[in-house]
Amino acid sequence: MTAKRKTASPRKAARPVKSAPPVAPVTPVADAPQFRYFHDKVAPWVDRGTVYGFELREELSKPTIEHGESAICALATVTTGSVFGITSGKRGHAFYFHPAFGVVDLGVISEKPVVGGAIVHTRDDILVGGWHGETGGMFRHAAAREFGTGQEDFYSRKEPLVPVALPATGEGILAVAWNASDRRTYAVTTTKRLVSVGDDDTTARVDVELGLQQPAPALLCLSDGTLLGAVDEGELWQYRPDAAAIERLAVCAPCEKGKRYVAGVQSLLLSRSGTVYGGTSTDGFVFAYDAARRVLTNLGKPHRQSVIRCLVEGHDGLIYGIVQEPHGMAHLFLFDPERRAFEDLGVLNAFIPVQWAAHSLGAMCTGIHGELFLGEDDTIAHLFAYYPPIPKKRGP
Amino acid sequence: MTTPPLDPAKCERVPFTQHPGHDTMWSMARGADGHVYLGLCLEGSGGGVAQLYRYNVTARKLEHLLDMGEVTGEPADNGHAAQGKIHFSLCPVSDGTIYGATHCTTPPKGHKYWNPYGMWDDPFHSFRGAHIFHYDPRTGKAVDFGIIYPNEGLPYLLLDETRGRLYGITYPKAHFFRLNLACRDLVDYGRVSSWYPIAASFDTRGNLFLGDTNSRLLKYDVAQDRLVFFDSAPYSHPWNSSMRYSWLCNLDRADDGRIYGTHYMNDHVYRFDPEQETPVFEDLGPGLPDSPARQVRALVPDGHGHLYYVVMGNGNILVRYTIKTGEREVLGRLQVGGADFWSWLSVLDRDGNLYMMGPRNPMSLAIYRPKG
């Protein structure tokens, strides 16, 4: 047996063997532990993922959403990726965020003070929104052409806000939900009733009275077309569009003992799994509601503050929310349904394109790529985009 | 070329021997009695409370007046973030009394760090809130107005004596407010800036001018009781297009009626006429055109056609600027007792002597007496 002599491969042979170049010794920074300490243990900013902050103005255009009328109270995403919102304050505006133009003012929805509002994506790229305050109102907006801009469009397109006539003039809108089953947008109003407008209608009708109690600013449409909402003391109700009345569910959102009379629901979310998540206005509890079994489970508190202002579901399967009580400091948090665990992510602070920390956040929605949009509701408000971290995966 | 130090014969260093550990001084004001009132602060370490001092210009000595732990009822070891600072907030009154406010960022005792956002609502480590106080030198007593904004510091306070009002800014939420001294009723105008404005000046009619974090000029219109946000801003370096972290600093009205100021991110001095409907900034150029510097600070008009300011570059150089001609006279490098120093602000006494934050370790007051 003849042993083959091993030879170096041509490529290997072509490489001259060199000794490693001298490496300059790394001088440790004397204060490194101090800086690490500050970063790891003192800084309160959201640093899980990335935060961007945008002024409420369109590039190349004179700002028209003035300070004091820019507090974002509602956000919704359409399938093109644009994000639509409503502002409150001395007046109200509708706007959208487009990556080419920034925040585009669609116009004033109310010349009178606006306290809050709601907006929902319906079919195609159509949104329905409404507001309440000194007066109230509702509108529909078709957004498709606003996204379809060419490369020489230096200014935004603005399609009209089409008024929807409400049963009572000036009726305020607290919450909206779109029902794909009957292609109607339902709204909870300040006059304590449920109204709805068909996809092709411009006049809303009264569907049902909610009773004497004050309705919560939250409304969901479940997958079977049932509407789910809440009233004072955190009591849930549901309504099937073919029914004559709402059904009180005898299920209440959690609160601390002795606070039932001031308890309430502030936010509701239908997750992709079908579980309903909710947040309370008193004590800041997050709960899960199984609509089929009519069982409500208190999941606990993400933070010491009281109000769970918004809840959304990320593409990562996590539930994200804002907790902030009046005069408090808004914190972004997450709930992991698998681990049934909360995590406080901190205070939102952007450096690019603007440097701004958000003290008060009033609205959230999930973008089409899994980013989260958050609306500040302060005297001078900004729109924030939060990109959760991309999990590391092993490549091929 | 190194600028020679100030004439030692004209300079004096006065150490705060009673509070040698304190490390900053953010408030200086000339009282109606002619003496200079000083807010001595501690922010580099935890658990110290601010001290109110007076430099007696007649006796030429420091006099300790108030311990803010005693005034506020929050001693240094109370566990919360300490009442460690009196920021830009000493407001002399014509009757000889002084208004002032405490401010935060001093950690609790035993702590090295503290963040107002992270500790905002912490029941044990939060800042409980700034106190507004009123001190009467004749009695040596202070009245504590209590906490106006829970959890917030008050980095800025100004007095409109004619209308009996205090104006202020909160931190970290950067709200602008006014407080009626007679009824103590509060009007909050909301958030005005990313971080809090760090300079403000009245015009002759009681309008208040201030700037946001991005150099934008704001005016509190006293007749209309509202804030006006102008699109006016002073010179900014071309590479700072966003003008972030570019506060207006050291705003002060001179005897020509115009408001002068400095910039947080460059070495230019500017002025504007507050009587203009939309004030236009006039760039006066670098503090010292031949000596590019990072910043200009401690600007103060002398009431006789000049400004004093400090150009902070290769050494901190005291300059006297003649308003009429634009002439800049280099007075010397800030050095007293052999120690270099810098100062954010300065104040003049009636004799034209200049007071600045002096060298540290121990913290001291620096005095420059032009006439020796």
Side-chain angles (χ1 to χ4, degrees):
Chain A
M1 192 176 160
T2 307
K4 283 189 177 176
R5 189 181 167 193
K6 284 188 175 177
T7 55
S9 70
R11 180 184 279 185
K12 246 182 180 174
R15 275 188 191 160
V17 178
K18 283 185 178 176
S19 58
V23 177
V26 176
T27 307
V29 178
D31 294 333
Q34 182 179 324
F35 290 116
R36 286 299 312 196
Y37 185 94
F38 186 84
H39 175 272
D40 297 344
K41 300 182 181 181
V42 181
W45 316 121
V46 173
D47 62 358
R48 175 193 175 276
T50 310
V51 179
Y52 298 102
F54 304 91
E55 289 181 301
L56 292 199
R57 56 161 296 182
E58 181 180 351
E59 292 293 324
L60 303 179
S61 297
K62 186 179 179 184
T64 51
I65 303 177
E66 300 284 340
H67 299 168
E69 53 189 50
S70 62
I72 299 172
C73 55
L75 288 172
T77 313
V78 295
T79 51
T80 54
S82 289
V83 173
F84 287 76
I86 293 173
T87 71
S88 59
K90 289 179 285 188
R91 300 191 300 175
H93 295 251
F95 70 87
Y96 73 95
F97 174 76
H98 188 293
F101 309 116
V103 173
V104 177
D105 181 11
L106 285 169
V108 174
I109 54 172
S110 172
E111 290 287 353
K112 294 185 174 174
V114 172
V115 172
I119 191 165
V120 65
H121 171 225
T122 64
R123 64 180 165 84
D124 303 325
D125 289 305
I126 298 171
L127 300 110
V128 174
W131 71 94
H132 67 275
E134 198 167 301
T135 181
M138 202 172 190
F139 64 85
R140 177 182 287 113
H141 180 72
R145 291 182 62 190
E146 287 160 350
F147 197 83
T149 52
Q151 68 174 18
E152 293 191 9
D153 291 312
F154 305 122
Y155 295 96
S156 65
R157 284 175 193 259
K158 295 179 186 179
E159 294 299 308
L161 301 166
V162 179
V164 171
L166 287 163
T169 305
E171 194 162 9
I173 301 299
L174 293 170
V176 289
W178 186 63
N179 190 343
S181 306
D182 60 6
R183 297 169 79 89
R184 298 186 73 79
T185 300
Y186 287 81
V188 174
T189 73
T190 50
T191 51
K192 302 175 184 176
R193 56 190 180 182
L194 195 65
V195 302
S196 69
V197 58
D199 276 2
D200 300 315
D201 299 337
T202 53
T203 302
R205 72 177 187 211
V206 178
D207 285 83
V208 68
E209 300 291 333
L210 296 176
L212 295 174
Q213 287 178 288
Q214 187 62 39
L219 183 67
L220 283 184
C221 183
L222 306 178
S223 56
D224 65 354
T226 301
L227 280 300
L228 182 73
V231 289
D232 271 353
E233 301 188 3
E235 184 185 5
L236 300 184
W237 57 261
Q238 67 176 29
Y239 173 72
R240 289 205 56 82
D242 52 1
I246 63 163
E247 181 183 358
R248 307 285 282 264
L249 293 172
V251 172
C252 285
C255 67
E256 291 177 4
K257 182 74 174 165
K259 294 187 182 177
R260 176 57 59 200
Y261 71 103
V262 291
V265 171
Q266 187 69 33
S267 47
L268 287 172
L269 165 71
L270 177 62
S271 71
R272 291 190 292 277
S273 70
T275 300
V276 171
Y277 290 93
T280 69
S281 55
T282 298
D283 301 325
F285 286 113
V286 175
F287 62 86
Y289 176 64
D290 183 332
R293 295 170 51 225
R294 299 192 177 188
V295 173
L296 188 146
T297 306
N298 184 1
L299 300 173
K301 277 171 66 68
H303 199 262
R304 71 169 65 252
Q305 293 183 85
S306 265
V307 187
I308 306 296
R309 301 198 64 181
C310 359
L311 290 170
V312 297
E313 184 177 27
H315 286 197
D316 49 14
L318 302 174
I319 308 300
Y320 291 89
I322 291 295
V323 55
Q324 178 215 342
E325 58 198 10
H327 313 297
M329 188 67 72
H331 276 240
L332 179 67
F333 70 89
L334 67 79
F335 175 74
D336 183 340
E338 278 187 18
R339 296 188 296 126
R340 296 180 76 78
F342 288 105
E343 185 179 340
D344 175 39
L345 301 180
V347 178
L348 215 61
N349 188 18
F351 292 93
I352 300 291
V354 298
Q355 189 280 311
W356 194 271
H359 307 150
S360 184
L361 291 162
M364 281 178 92
C365 70
T366 306
I368 60 168
H369 300 297
E371 73 276 37
L372 308 183
F373 289 93
L374 302 101
E376 188 181 21
D377 68 342
D378 215 326
T379 321
I380 304 172
H382 294 75
L383 180 70
F384 292 87
Y386 167 63
Y387 291 78
I390 300 169
K392 275 186 186 173
K393 283 190 176 174
R394 191 171 175 174
Chain B
M1 192 181 82
T2 306
T3 303
L6 292 167
D7 180 353
K10 297 179 177 179
C11 298
E12 184 185 2
R13 179 182 183 183
V14 187
F16 292 90
T17 50
Q18 280 180 261
H19 297 94
H22 281 55
D23 53 16
T24 50
M25 193 159 57
W26 292 110
S27 197
M28 308 167 84
R30 188 178 75 202
D33 55 9
H35 302 307
V36 177
Y37 289 81
L38 308 161
L40 185 63
C41 312
L42 178 70
E43 59 178 294
S45 55
V49 294
Q51 307 293 326
L52 182 67
Y53 271 87
R54 172 172 59 197
Y55 182 77
N56 187 315
V57 298
T58 312
R60 292 197 169 188
K61 66 171 188 179
L62 278 175
E63 297 165 343
H64 179 249
L65 305 177
L66 294 174
D67 176 302
M68 284 301 132
E70 293 172 8
V71 172
T72 61
E74 294 183 41
D77 60 354
N78 79 99
H80 288 267
Q83 299 284 350
K85 294 161 83 171
I86 299 170
H87 218 259
F88 306 122
S89 69
L90 290 179
C91 306
V93 191
S94 57
D95 66 2
T97 60
I98 297 273
Y99 284 99
T102 56
H103 182 45
C104 64
T105 75
T106 307
K109 191 167 188 178
H111 293 212
K112 203 170 180 184
Y113 300 99
W114 185 82
N115 186 294
Y117 292 85
M119 290 298 183
W120 174 259
D121 56 355
D122 186 280
F124 305 108
H125 304 117
S126 61
F127 182 63
R128 285 179 159 165
H131 291 245
I132 292 178
F133 62 90
H134 186 211
Y135 173 71
D136 187 342
R138 288 161 297 202
T139 62
K141 291 184 178 169
V143 175
D144 178 14
F145 279 35
I147 293 170
I148 310 294
Y149 282 89
N151 306 116
E152 299 244 44
L154 292 183
Y156 221 109
L157 200 67
L158 292 110
L159 173 68
D160 178 346
E161 197 173 346
T162 307
R163 293 169 183 81
R165 291 174 178 178
L166 289 169
Y167 296 100
I169 303 286
T170 71
Y171 173 78
K173 290 198 170 181
H175 280 224
F176 176 74
F177 69 88
R178 70 171 164 87
L179 181 72
N180 186 340
L181 288 169
C183 308
R184 299 191 185 179
D185 51 315
L186 179 75
V187 179
D188 186 316
Y189 297 85
R191 186 175 182 180
V192 296
S193 180
S194 173
W195 292 13
Y196 62 90
I198 57 175
S201 179
F202 286 111
D203 67 9
T204 53
R205 291 181 290 172
N207 298 308
L208 186 64
F209 289 84
L210 55 162
D212 71 6
T213 315
N214 296 65
S215 288
R216 191 176 184 182
L217 185 69
L218 281 67
K219 173 185 175 182
Y220 170 71
D221 187 316
V222 69
Q224 299 190 49
D225 188 25
R226 69 184 184 103
L227 278 170
V228 181
F229 289 76
F230 296 111
D231 287 325
S232 311
Y235 167 84
S236 182
H237 287 320
W239 50 88
N240 185 5
S241 57
S242 70
M243 292 197 276
R244 60 174 55 202
Y245 314 128
S246 298
W247 287 268
L248 309 184
C249 303
N250 298 131
L251 292 178
D252 217 333
R253 194 174 80 243
D255 36 312
D256 66 349
R258 287 177 287 195
I259 293 174
Y260 289 75
T262 64
H263 194 280
Y264 197 87
M265 280 293 169
N266 64 52
D267 63 348
H268 285 229
V269 177
Y270 53 81
R271 66 186 171 195
F272 61 88
D273 181 356
E275 295 298 320
Q276 288 180 308
E277 192 168 328
T278 299
V280 176
F281 281 87
E282 181 185 354
D283 181 23
L284 301 178
L288 281 175
D290 298 331
S291 302
R294 294 187 315 277
Q295 300 168 329
V296 174
R297 287 289 178 276
L299 181 147
V300 62
D302 72 353
H304 301 288
H306 303 96
L307 308 173
Y308 283 99
Y309 55 73
V310 175
V311 176
M312 297 167 67
N314 184 20
N316 303 317
I317 302 162
L318 181 64
V319 175
R320 182 163 48 208
Y321 176 92
T322 303
I323 291 173
K324 197 169 183 180
T325 63
E327 183 189 354
R328 292 146 164 91
E329 180 188 358
V330 172
L331 299 173
R333 199 171 78 247
L334 293 189
Q335 190 185 85
V336 62
D340 290 325
F341 67 98
W342 67 278
S343 186
W344 187 285
L345 70 166
S346 59
V347 65
L348 287 153
D349 68 15
R350 286 172 180 160
D351 294 328
N353 300 316
L354 192 65
Y355 298 78
M356 292 169 280
M357 181 176 77
R360 305 179 189 197
N361 301 316
M363 188 66 204
S364 60
L365 175 69
I367 306 171
Y368 173 70
R369 298 186 175 94
K371 297 170 194 163

